[in-house]
Amino acid sequence: MTMTDQKYNGWTNYATWRVHLEWFDDFDLCAGMGYYTQEDIDALDPYEVKNDLQELVEQQLECETQGNDTKVLAYALSFLGDVNWYEIAREVIANAKLAFHAE
């Protein structure tokens, strides 16, 4: 079995599950990103949103490690390289649609 054949709690892999759990579980896409509106939700493409989510996490990690040992950031960014951002984006968009249409 290769690493790509393994799932973790229904997600592509451990990295994807962990990032979703810690960063995007109950994430409000409109408030969290600041430039998506509720009217945008139905037309959002996960391929576009995945880059925004990845950039958000990378920037936050850079801020949190600023002035510290750069090895920590390198390890964190390496871990993020295993994340299936598309899968997270799909989930975040689906949750945003549910929240928007529930109102």
Side-chain angles (χ1 to χ4, degrees), residues 4 13 15 23 33 60 67 75 81 89-90:
T4 56
N13 55 32
W23 292 87
M33 298 308 292
Q60 184 64 39
Y75 277 101
R90 255 191 0 235

Side-chain angles (χ1 to χ4, degrees), residues 43-66:
L44 287 177
D45 180 354
Y47 284 107
E48 296 170 13
V49 175
K50 75 181 185 73
N51 295 329
D52 292 336
L53 299 178
Q54 181 176 2
E55 187 175 308
L56 176 75
V57 172
E58 289 175 353
Q59 286 178 349
Q60 184 64 39
L61 287 172
E62 288 172 3
C63 288
E64 289 182 15
T65 60
Q66 189 172 9

Side-chain angles (χ1 to χ4, degrees), residues 27-36 41 44 49 53 89 92-93 96:
F27 182 74
D28 182 333
L29 186 60
C30 296
M33 298 308 292
Y35 46 84
Y36 292 127
I41 297 299
L44 287 177
V49 175
L53 299 178
V92 167
I93 291 169

Side-chain angles (χ1 to χ4, degrees), residues 12-16 32 43 48 63 80 88 93-95 97:
T12 298
N13 55 32
Y14 175 76
T16 304
E48 296 170 13
C63 288
L80 294 181
I88 292 175
I93 291 169
N95 289 340
K97 286 179 181 180

